Amino acid sequence: MPSLTKTRNQVPLGFAMMFIAVFCFACMDTTAKWLVLAAVPALQVSFLRYFVHLLWVLVLYVPSKGASIAHSKKPWLQMLRGALLLTGTVLNFAALEYLPLTTTISIFFASPMVVCLLSIPILKEKVGIKRFTAVAMGFVGVLFVVQPWSASFDVHVFLSLGALLGASGYFVMSRLIAGVDDNAVCQFYAAGLASVLLAPWVISLWVWPANGLEWFLLVLLGSLGMLGHSLLTSAHKMAEASVLAPTVYSQIIYVSLFSWLIFDFVPTATTWFGIVIIVSSGIYIWQRERTRK
């Protein structure tokens, strides 16, 4: 009974950590948009996001774990997982130069639907007609956000859709290797692989930050990534993923506020309608997952 009571008491703390983690990710996207609009190349922003993250991993974990942080039981799966995360990040940061924050985040919210579909061939999960219907409705919501029928349709939305596929693949791979390695190993592979792969490209297009603020934001970007992922991992130790999943949707509140205060952008009524459809579909899929489990 004491252990059960302790677990129940940890759930609110897990929720709090998850909300802070999502806030960190919203701040990270806002910071990335600021930097790419300031003419810092998206690849350079992506590289520094992961390189600073890697430095934090080395500082925090090497003293206690040593070289073991590089020893994975399934290194190829870890590298594939890291490559998918890197793809999602690079495409997302590139999209942020052209698209509003609310648009990129709204498209990202369709990831539960894509994960649901990818889980069929990769994880051998069975998906019923109700979840398929929720997936279809979610993509209808994406259409309202993207508005391909509009004269103002921006082709750069395909960058965001590519980021969605990369992130969704990352989530599926995270499920596939869950419990195989500890947090230190997972973070080392994700940050280390991205840093190594991006370094040769960044050298050729490097742009020195124009002022101290840009330097600060570039360092902050990787720090937010490290903090957010650490809090997310800790939160999932205190509460089940199926309980914490809806907290991700709080990100739309943060980015809407940042878009208004920093970039003077307010989403249209059509965009909000699409967001409501996407979030509703995602919550339904989440509820069906909980019921099934």
Side-chain angles (χ1 to χ4, degrees), residues 118-140:
L118 291 177
S119 297
I120 299 172
I122 298 176
L123 303 179
K124 308 302 179 184
E125 292 185 1
K126 294 182 179 180
V127 178
I129 187 64
K130 292 183 178 180
R131 281 203 288 169
F132 263 125
T133 302
V135 168
M137 288 303 298
F139 287 118
V140 170

Side-chain angles (χ1 to χ4, degrees), residues 204-232:
S204 62
L205 51 79
W206 183 271
V207 174
W208 287 103
N211 49 55
L213 175 60
E214 290 185 9
W215 274 112
F216 170 75
L217 292 178
L218 287 167
V219 174
L220 178 66
L221 194 67
S223 302
L224 287 169
M226 173 63 184
L227 178 60
H229 282 285
S230 297
L231 287 170
L232 184 146

